[in-house]
Amino acid sequence: MQSIYLLDTNIVSEITKPQPNPAVIKKIQETKNISTIASVSFEEMLYGVKRLTSSKKRSDLFSFYVDFIQANYEIIPFDIHASWIHSDLRERLEGNGRKAPLADSMIAATAIANNLVLVTRNVKDFEGIMDNSSLMVENWFEE
């Protein structure tokens, strides 16, 4: 089955919270077979875990990302197609006096390159990109 959704870092991280948002968890479960994760998001998750001090929490999170997320979700690479889209996005945004954080704009370019709906809690971070591209965004926290 072809993927429809690209889950942003904050959506995947919601699963690990002590009291995750039930609506988001339900949506993640419903769309598991049609959701993917950008390699840029996966790197953000791993980096976040590696920055934690050595502890059970760090070990559990690392295992979750490797044993569950990497094992069960397709990780979409930031490839040459996304690179071309990303360079166009950055040029358009800067031409309009706007900037997007590098990781966010790379995640957005991955979504656009693969015709995926980006699912994020941080819609505001992607507004400039949406205004200058075909990026589709959903916020499962607001549904």
Side-chain angles (χ1 to χ4, degrees):
M1 184 176 295
Q2 185 171 345
S3 295
I4 296 172
Y5 298 108
L6 185 72
L7 306 181
D8 196 9
T9 310
N10 56 63
I11 298 298
V12 178
S13 296
E14 188 67 17
I15 302 168
T16 67
K17 293 188 176 177
Q19 295 184 340
N21 180 301
V24 173
I25 297 303
K26 182 176 187 249
K27 195 75 170 165
I28 289 170
Q29 291 169 340
E30 291 172 351
T31 63
K32 182 182 175 299
N33 294 328
I34 54 172
S35 295
T36 63
I37 297 167
S39 59
V40 176
S41 291
F42 193 67
E43 182 279 331
E44 286 183 318
M45 292 174 223
L46 294 176
Y47 175 66
V49 168
K50 289 178 179 184
R51 291 184 61 214
L52 296 173
T53 57
S54 189
S55 65
K56 181 170 175 15
K57 178 182 179 180
R58 179 184 179 190
S59 177
D60 289 348
L61 281 172
F62 188 79
S63 291
F64 171 74
Y65 290 133
V66 173
D67 298 336
F68 180 75
I69 297 300
Q70 185 176 356
N72 290 291
Y73 285 89
E74 180 182 7
I75 308 295
I76 304 288
F78 183 80
D79 62 10
I80 191 70
H81 187 198
S83 296
W84 278 99
I85 291 169
H86 187 247
S87 68
D88 289 343
L89 280 175
R90 289 181 67 195
E91 186 273 326
R92 270 188 246 136
L93 287 168
E94 289 175 8
N96 292 330
R98 299 173 97 168
K99 281 194 172 189
L102 185 62
D104 287 346
S105 58
M106 291 174 75
I107 292 165
T110 302
I112 294 165
N114 292 279
N115 198 33
L116 299 168
V117 176
L118 176 61
V119 180
T120 185
R121 185 176 199 168
N122 302 329
V123 174
K124 191 163 185 68
D125 293 349
F126 294 95
E127 285 177 349
I129 296 170
M130 287 187 290
D131 293 343
N132 288 280
S133 71
S134 61
L135 180 65
M136 302 170 286
V137 174
E138 286 186 14
N139 180 354
W140 290 350
F141 284 86
E142 293 182 350
E143 292 191 3

